[in-house]
Amino acid sequence: MKKISTKISLFILIGIIFAACNTVKRVPEGKRLLTKNEILINDQITKDEVINNLLYQKPNSTILGYNLRLNLYNLAKQNPDSSFKAKMKANPKKYERLSKLLSKKQVDRLGKSFFYSGIHNFLKRTGEPPVIIDEARAKKSTARLRAYYFNNGFFNAKTSYKIDTLPNKKGQIHYTVITGEPYIIDSLSREIATPALDSLYEKNKNKTLIIPGQQFKSLNFEAERERITTNFRNNGAYYFQPTNINFVCDSIDTNHKTNVNLKISDRTVRVGDTTATKPFKLYKISEVNIFTDSPSNSNRIKVADSATYNNFNIYSKDKLRYRPKALTDAIFISKGSTYADFRRTATSRSLNNLRVFNYPNIQFVEDSTDVNESSLIANIYLTPRKKFSFGASADVTHSNIQNFGISGSMTGTFRNLFRGAETLELSLRGNIGSSTDLGIANPNNVFFNLSEYGADVKLNVPRFFSPFNTDKIIAKNMIPNTIFSLGFAKQQNIGLDKENLTASMYYTWTPKRNTSSRFDLFNIQYVKNINKANYFNVYRSSYGRLNDLAKDYASQVDTEYLDAKGNLIIESGTNGFLQDVTGPNPRITTSPEDLKVIESISERKDRLTENNLIFASSYTFTKNTKTDLLDNNFWIFKTKIESAGNFLGLISDIAKQPKNALGNKTILQVEYSQYVKGELDFIKHWGLSGNRILAMRAFFGIAIPYGNSDNIPFSRSYFAGGSNDNRAWQSYGLGPGSSGSINDFNEANLKILYSAELRFKMLGKLNGAIFGDAGNIWNVLDDVKDPKSTFTGIRSLENIAVGTGFGFRYDFNFFVIRLDIGFKTYDPAKEVGDRWFKDYNLGHSVLNIGINYPF
């Protein structure tokens, strides 16, 4: 019965698809569906997206050649309300029956229900109406093509179009463009009425974008207008506007050459009911006034307190609540300086970065006391944010540990804490969850058997906090900040029940546009494992391997280590067996191969259950060329170098701290980590035709232990797999090398990753992607000796895993929900001859759900 219903459903679905495949179903008689545009430029067909985007009409969109959106639109009834009424009118007995069963009003409402009306409206919104050939739009397209080529120097370009009729109410449009010979810029002259502006132009004329010998292009003229305006306004020409610039081009009888004359007239001012012209003046700033809690209308300001600091005048309607230096350090407009747009922009940006004011309002007025009429007064109006604000959030979560979880946080923000525009944030966070994982202790069988809570304190100081003057190294226009943070978190019934204490002090600044730097003076993390006895409950793979080996040597294993089923008891049995095999006086003799495996399990257990103390310093540099949200051609480069343990090593030596049983140095009886770590991360996006984007990411990271450490702390190690990594493997499920992911949480200290994906539009806000990921993790220069897990040279790159797949993204404007399905294409854990495409099927695929794009 199940097979029959499945076949019936399939036949119905196929029937619906075939019914919708009539692409001209909604094309009126006498009209034609546009199926193709063809543009011939000088008898050559062009596929240039810029040229094709000039056309007012384009054929309906397709997915792999299929008009999906058009066919969805065709499925919908055009007037479902009217259809329902007509249906009821044609069958009055049915209408009467429904009216008795429901009511006449409810029956009338059925016509607006989702079943009768809503589904058709949805199909029309999701679908796409047929594009009908319109001659008026074709003519407008030829005019736009002609204008485009005219603006690129082809002043004599000719355009035309021809409509080809095809069977079954379809048609094509062929556009023809004959460009002719382009015009070349022959000479550039200038007429600048104001001598001061002429001098400014002369100093920078070598930067002009209008160059004799190059082809005429309107975009170059617009860019040159912007360049000249920026130059003038950054050098005191406060009243100068782009409209004051005119280009006069002479191309009559010049043999396809253009003579350009740059004309900049004097300033036009209104005098009473008439207008007059006068030369532009270069203004200087005569006074800077700061109003700390005032509206933008200076005529109604009441001043109760004021201060003068470094030629800045500061006014407040109440008692002044800010230290003058904290305000003036964020202002780049100074008394005696020349007016400049860039100073105004930098001041707005810097004041906004203080986070204690709303976006500032900066106004300039002429100084009436200046007899030369060439001075401006800068008035800066600041509107303070609330001294204290409170925020709370809650979320429902799901992870590979939690089947269900509820998390929440509360944050209180205190602004201008020490009158220096500092911001203090106090946060509380918590999470309760449910897990059916056998490794989670749950003796009372309660639903919420996981919990985590924590608190954080963060202080932001909007300047470099240092005993030394750093202005010459990091100027204040780089927007420096100093951040102090302190945090505590505790987990219960999750893994080893960790307590995590963190403290850090770091600086951030922006050296240049699109770049940022961060220097962590110190970043301290202390991790304490409370429930070490739960190790083999959490790391079930390690327990399984150890238990199997214990059964192989059952005759030598103490029966007290085993339960009724002959399995090792956690914790007494596993610890006893490890001690009897790897201890100083081994009681159990194993083969050399088995001894290596047991020693590896014992070393990993010791490593992951030991308390970690990390005292690190790091520097991070990031460059991002993305200009705005619509920019699809950009790249991001990020590099980080981190060093840990050197300062604690010095303190340990000075304080003569004792070494532990392994001979390693300690601080307060805790062994500290010592390593150096470096990372390179590069992302590149290319905008392609048809709203498609090709995105790629390359990552390389390595962490090398030395001195006091033989390995890297788990929190600083690398893992592979997951929604933002190699998507054909689960998180922590890939590597190291070709070892086959023998542990529950696989990590290592070397990582290589390369990912690429093609993103494209599908239906409305639903987008699709095809991706490929390649990478792996390895152990190198640490205490892991397994040849399958270690990186030994170029040949180890044959263990790079490859995953491919496809995905869907739904754009909610402010975030994107992402679903990716990855397939293991090349699996280095398998034998050499079985690595390619052996698990390339849905049964072995990995489903990843994420928020926003992976890179």
Side-chain angles (χ1 to χ4, degrees):
M1 185 65 185
K2 187 176 180 181
K3 292 182 178 180
I4 294 174
S5 61
T6 302
K7 290 180 180 179
I8 292 173
S9 301
L10 183 61
F11 280 123
I12 292 173
L13 179 61
I14 293 173
I16 291 173
I17 294 173
F18 274 109
C21 282
N22 182 11
T23 55
V24 296
K25 182 178 180 179
R26 303 296 181 191
V27 177
E29 289 298 327
K31 302 294 184 178
R32 297 196 174 273
L33 177 72
L34 178 61
T35 59
K36 182 181 179 183
N37 283 324
E38 184 179 78
I39 304 176
L40 279 79
I41 311 297
N42 299 326
D43 298 325
Q44 296 291 323
I45 297 176
T46 182
K47 299 293 184 182
D48 191 323
E49 185 179 10
V50 174
I51 305 299
N52 279 274
N53 283 339
L54 296 172
L55 303 181
Y56 280 93
Q57 282 190 300
K58 295 181 182 180
N60 290 98
S61 61
T62 63
I63 298 178
L64 300 177
Y66 179 69
N67 296 111
L68 177 60
R69 295 189 64 188
L70 174 58
N71 287 323
L72 288 175
Y73 184 88
N74 288 339
L75 273 174
K77 290 182 179 180
Q78 296 304 295
N79 299 295
D81 291 350
S82 301
S83 299
F84 177 79
K85 291 178 181 178
K87 183 178 180 180
M88 292 295 101
K89 189 175 181 180
N91 195 343
K93 291 184 178 180
K94 183 177 182 180
Y95 180 77
E96 289 297 328
R97 288 197 305 270
L98 288 174
S99 298
K100 291 178 180 179
L101 181 63
L102 303 171
S103 71
K104 288 187 177 182
K105 183 181 286 188
Q106 288 177 323
V107 174
D108 293 339
R109 286 179 180 175
L110 279 177
K112 298 180 180 180
S113 67
F114 179 78
F115 181 78
Y116 284 101
S117 178
I119 188 171
H120 298 286
N121 291 329
F122 169 78
L123 289 171
K124 285 193 287 186
R125 288 195 306 269
T126 307
E128 190 178 70
V131 178
I132 308 299
I133 293 178
D134 186 337
E135 282 211 56
R137 293 195 171 194
K139 289 178 181 178
K140 289 174 66 177
S141 295
T142 58
R144 184 181 276 184
L145 286 168
R146 185 164 55 252
Y148 172 82
Y149 281 95
F150 182 92
N151 289 330
N152 281 277
F154 299 96
F155 296 162
N156 301 319
K158 297 179 181 180
T159 59
S160 60
Y161 73 93
K162 177 186 176 184
I163 298 176
D164 280 352
T165 59
L166 300 174
N168 195 23
K169 296 197 292 186
K170 296 180 181 179
Q172 300 177 350
I173 305 180
H174 300 274
Y175 296 91
T176 301
V177 179
I178 305 298
T179 63
E181 189 175 343
Y183 278 71
I184 306 299
I185 296 174
D186 189 45
S187 64
L188 173 64
S189 59
R190 74 176 188 265
E191 296 178 27
I192 303 178
T194 302
L197 297 187
D198 189 65
S199 298
L200 286 175
Y201 181 87
E202 178 67 23
K203 290 179 182 179
N204 293 277
K205 68 178 183 179
N206 61 323
K207 297 180 181 179
T208 181
L209 302 174
I210 302 174
I211 303 172
Q214 291 189 356
Q215 185 173 326
F216 178 97
K217 290 188 177 181
S218 294
L219 289 177
N220 290 341
F221 283 80
E222 292 301 318
E224 176 67 1
R225 179 178 279 109
E226 183 179 342
R227 185 193 72 84
I228 294 172
T229 302
T230 301
N231 178 31
F232 289 172
R233 288 186 62 85
N234 281 336
N235 286 279
Y238 174 67
Y239 288 107
F240 192 84
Q241 298 295 328
T243 52
N244 296 120
I245 302 173
N246 287 297
F247 294 101
V248 179
C249 301
D250 179 16
S251 57
I252 300 176
D253 297 328
T254 57
N255 191 26
H256 292 90
K257 294 182 179 180
T258 301
N259 298 309
V260 180
N261 185 22
L262 166 65
K263 287 189 174 184
I264 300 178
S265 56
D266 281 339
R267 177 189 171 199
T268 300
V269 295
R270 180 170 290 277
V271 181
D273 294 331
T274 62
T275 59
T277 60
K278 62 180 183 179
F280 283 96
K281 291 186 176 181
L282 305 183
Y283 287 86
K284 287 187 176 294
I285 306 299
S286 61
E287 193 174 333
V288 182
N289 300 319
I290 307 170
F291 301 91
T292 62
D293 46 10
S294 303
S296 60
N297 189 341
S298 60
N299 295 324
R300 295 198 297 267
I301 290 177
K302 294 180 180 180
V303 175
D305 195 4
S306 63
T308 299
Y309 180 81
N310 283 353
N311 292 320
F312 291 93
N313 303 317
I314 306 172
Y315 301 100
S316 174
K317 68 179 182 180
D318 297 310
K319 183 175 176 58
L320 187 60
R321 294 179 292 168
Y322 307 91
R323 283 189 282 110
K325 189 177 187 304
L327 297 177
T328 59
D329 277 354
I331 296 174
F332 299 90
I333 305 166
S334 59
K335 184 177 180 178
S337 65
T338 301
Y339 170 83
D341 276 355
F342 75 86
R343 291 193 179 99
R344 182 178 190 166
T345 303
T347 299
S348 294
R349 180 176 167 224
S350 184
L351 286 169
N352 196 52
N353 181 67
L354 295 180
R355 301 199 302 170
V356 297
F357 301 106
N358 293 325
Y359 200 80
N361 181 17
I362 303 175
Q363 298 180 7
F364 294 87
V365 295
E366 291 191 43
D367 189 347
S368 58
T369 64
D370 184 4
V371 294
N372 296 319
E373 298 180 346
S374 60
S375 296
L376 296 173
I377 297 175
N379 294 319
I380 302 173
Y381 301 98
L382 305 175
T383 305
R385 297 184 182 182
K386 292 181 179 180
K387 178 75 174 180
F388 172 76
S389 62
F390 175 80
S393 64
D395 196 10
V396 176
T397 60
H398 171 78
S399 69
N400 57 349
I401 295 177
Q402 289 186 124
N403 302 107
F404 175 78
I406 301 175
S407 62
S409 65
M410 296 183 295
T411 302
T413 303
F414 301 83
R415 298 182 179 88
N416 194 36
L417 191 66
F418 305 114
R419 298 181 62 241
E422 303 87 357
T423 303
L424 177 68
E425 293 182 1
L426 303 178
S427 301
L428 295 174
R429 50 191 165 84
N431 175 82
I432 56 173
S434 174
S435 176
T436 56
D437 194 301
L438 294 177
I440 308 300
N442 190 12
N444 298 321
N445 198 29
V446 295
F447 181 74
F448 287 111
N449 58 334
L450 310 178
S451 67
E452 179 179 2
Y453 58 87
D456 299 284
V457 180
K458 183 178 180 181
L459 175 66
N460 182 80
V461 180
R463 55 192 170 274
F464 255 59
F465 190 87
S466 169
F468 312 104
N469 188 346
T470 60
D471 289 348
K472 292 184 179 180
I473 303 173
I474 301 174
K476 65 178 185 178
N477 62 353
M478 295 183 184
I479 319 295
N481 285 280
T482 306
I483 293 91
F484 302 87
S485 69
L486 182 67
F488 173 79
K490 183 173 183 178
Q491 298 173 343
Q492 291 183 324
N493 297 322
I494 302 177
L496 304 177
D497 292 354
K498 298 177 183 294
E499 288 183 351
N500 197 332
L501 179 65
T502 59
S504 67
M505 174 183 176
Y506 60 93
Y507 304 99
T508 64
W509 69 97
T510 54
K512 294 180 181 179
R513 184 182 179 185
N514 297 325
T515 64
S516 63
S517 292
R518 169 173 168 165
F519 173 60
D520 285 54
L521 183 63
F522 62 83
N523 190 315
I524 305 171
Q525 182 181 26
Y526 174 61
V527 180
K528 183 178 180 180
N529 295 300
I530 305 299
N531 190 10
K532 296 182 180 181
N534 200 36
Y535 176 83
F536 282 113
N537 281 323
V538 176
Y539 296 89
R540 301 299 297 179
S541 294
S542 296
Y543 173 77
R545 292 163 63 205
L546 187 69
N547 192 49
D548 290 341
L549 288 168
K551 290 181 178 180
D552 291 341
Y553 300 95
S555 60
Q556 302 181 55
V557 176
D558 194 324
T559 55
E560 293 184 358
Y561 299 162
L562 307 177
D563 61 15
K565 295 182 180 180
N567 297 317
L568 290 173
I569 299 172
I570 303 174
E571 162 92 355
S572 60
T574 52
N575 280 351
F577 179 68
L578 289 173
Q579 181 68 22
D580 287 351
V581 176
T582 64
N585 300 306
R587 293 179 56 253
I588 299 175
T589 304
T590 65
S591 68
E593 293 77 12
D594 290 343
L595 178 60
K596 288 182 179 180
V597 174
I598 297 172
E599 287 178 339
S600 175
I601 294 173
S602 179
E603 289 170 359
R604 181 174 171 81
K605 175 180 179 294
D606 292 340
R607 177 187 167 214
L608 296 184
T609 56
E610 69 181 358
N611 299 331
N612 293 132
L613 177 60
I614 304 170
F615 191 114
S617 298
S618 64
Y619 173 73
T620 305
F621 173 82
T622 305
K623 184 173 180 62
N624 185 348
T625 65
K626 190 176 180 70
T627 56
D628 54 52
L629 291 175
L630 300 178
D631 185 6
N632 292 323
N633 288 283
F634 67 92
W635 54 268
I636 302 172
F637 173 74
K638 181 178 180 180
T639 183
K640 179 179 181 180
I641 183 73
E642 178 179 319
S643 177
N646 296 327
F647 179 76
L648 291 184
L650 179 63
I651 297 298
S652 179
D653 291 340
I654 294 175
K656 296 181 179 180
Q657 291 287 296
K659 295 183 178 181
N660 60 14
L662 299 176
N664 292 331
K665 298 178 182 179
T666 62
I667 291 288
L668 301 177
Q669 298 182 345
V670 179
E671 181 182 327
Y672 59 87
S673 299
Q674 194 167 17
Y675 62 87
V676 62
K677 184 178 184 181
E679 294 178 352
L680 297 172
D681 197 355
F682 181 71
I683 295 172
K684 180 72 175 80
H685 284 212
W686 292 270
L688 307 178
S689 61
N691 292 319
R692 292 174 297 171
I693 297 172
L694 178 61
M696 61 79 69
R697 180 195 180 200
F699 176 86
F700 174 82
I702 185 171
I704 302 174
Y706 68 96
N708 210 47
S709 298
D710 295 323
N711 50 65
I712 302 300
F714 186 85
S715 62
R716 295 295 202 270
S717 297
Y718 296 109
F719 71 92
S723 62
N724 295 323
D725 202 89
N726 197 322
R727 285 161 280 187
W729 279 263
Q730 297 281 7
S731 297
Y732 295 95
L734 173 60
S738 61
S739 63
S741 306
I742 56 177
N743 298 312
D744 299 85
F745 299 95
N746 298 280
E747 39 78 40
N749 63 326
L750 170 65
K751 180 174 182 176
I752 298 175
L753 173 68
Y754 179 85
S755 296
E757 68 177 36
L758 178 65
R759 301 166 185 167
F760 49 86
K761 293 283 185 181
M762 292 185 67
L763 296 173
K765 294 185 177 182
L766 179 64
N767 302 322
I770 300 172
F771 62 83
D773 304 316
N776 207 333
I777 55 172
W778 293 266
N779 290 95
V780 62
L781 301 175
D782 63 1
D783 57 355
V784 176
K785 305 303 180 184
D786 182 5
K788 292 184 177 181
S789 301
T790 55
F791 188 90
T792 57
I794 297 296
R795 189 167 181 179
S796 294
L797 295 180
E798 68 181 7
N799 293 326
I800 287 180
V802 179
T804 55
F806 61 91
F808 303 95
R809 293 95 168 85
Y810 193 86
D811 191 350
F812 287 94
N813 294 327
F814 50 94
F815 71 95
V816 174
I817 291 288
R818 174 166 53 91
L819 185 149
D820 290 321
I821 301 175
F823 301 90
K824 295 178 178 62
T825 308
Y826 177 83
D827 188 351
K830 294 185 176 297
E831 296 297 327
V832 175
D834 295 328
R835 292 182 172 182
W836 285 101
F837 299 105
K838 288 301 180 181
D839 289 329
Y840 205 88
N841 53 67
L842 282 173
H844 291 89
S845 64
V846 174
L847 176 65
N848 293 282
I849 299 175
I851 303 295
N852 293 327
Y853 292 101
F855 50 86

